[in-house]
């Protein structure tokens, strides 16, 4: 849901990826997920929810100002970490940014707004199979 790999979480927590794998293994009952990990994941979920709410508010404001919703909303999607870093976006893994893009798309589609995913280096061609 958040677009984070086990390695992403391990890097953020300065932990070994094996530790993260053990947390996700239901047979490993002796490994307790740390409070720091829960805080990190909760913070990431809160940030995603804030970004979805912000996108919704921008669309609602557009509809208020122009008396109609946009026909199509382009949403940026990244091919890889290098492309994400090159765009000078927030620090962090591109998978997390893409997961937020998908969450925004779901919300806008729920509102009846059509979305198109686009790579930042290819603004003219929509992505057809991102979901």
């Amino acid at each position: 849901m958040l677009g984070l790999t086990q390695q992403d979480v391990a890097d953020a927590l300065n932990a070994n990826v094996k530790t993260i794998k053990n947390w996700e293994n239901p047979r490993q009952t002796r490994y307790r997920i740390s409070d720091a990990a829960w805080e990190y994941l909760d913070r990431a979920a809160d940030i995603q929810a804030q970004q979805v709410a912000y996108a919704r508010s921008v669309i609602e404001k557009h509809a208020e100002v122009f008396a109609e919703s946009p026909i199509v909303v382009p949403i940026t999607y990244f091919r890889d970490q290098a492309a994400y870093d090159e765009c000078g976006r927030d620090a962090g893994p591109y998978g997390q940014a893409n997961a937020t893009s998908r969450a925004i798309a779901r919300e806008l589609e729920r509102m009846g707004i059509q979305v198109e995913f686009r790579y930042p280096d290819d603004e003219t061609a929509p992505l057809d199979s991102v979901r």
Side-chain angles (χ1 to χ4, degrees):
M1 182 178 107
L2 297 174
L4 297 168
T5 66
Q6 291 173 333
Q7 187 65 58
D8 293 335
V9 174
D11 291 346
L13 299 172
N14 293 318
N16 188 304
V17 74
K18 288 178 104 179
T19 300
I20 310 307
K21 289 178 186 282
N22 284 329
W23 290 344
E24 293 185 353
N25 183 347
R27 295 184 184 146
Q28 292 287 355
T29 57
R30 64 182 176 159
Y31 293 99
R32 184 171 106 33
I33 299 173
S34 72
D35 290 341
W38 285 120
E39 289 170 15
Y40 171 72
L41 294 172
D42 286 344
R43 189 171 50 253
D46 287 345
I47 289 168
Q48 184 181 82
Q50 289 170 8
Q51 291 175 335
V52 170
Y54 176 75
R56 180 184 175 92
S57 71
V58 167
I59 297 302
E60 288 171 343
K61 184 69 173 174
H62 180 280
E64 180 183 311
V65 170
F66 297 102
E68 65 183 9
S69 295
I71 296 170
V72 177
V73 173
I75 297 179
T76 303
Y77 208 79
F78 298 94
R79 296 177 199 272
D80 53 33
Q81 188 67 46
Y84 182 68
D85 293 342
E86 187 176 301
C87 285
R89 304 291 177 141
D90 297 331
Y94 81 101
Q96 187 174 14
N98 285 348
T100 297
S101 291
R102 291 188 304 272
I104 290 169
R106 282 190 302 274
E107 178 63 15
L108 296 182
E109 288 174 338
R110 192 185 69 70
M111 295 169 61
I113 307 295
Q114 183 181 349
V115 300
E116 288 180 352
F117 290 92
R118 297 184 178 181
Y119 294 126
D121 60 348
D122 189 12
E123 292 292 332
T124 59
L127 301 172
D128 293 326
S129 59
V130 169
R131 295 165 220 201

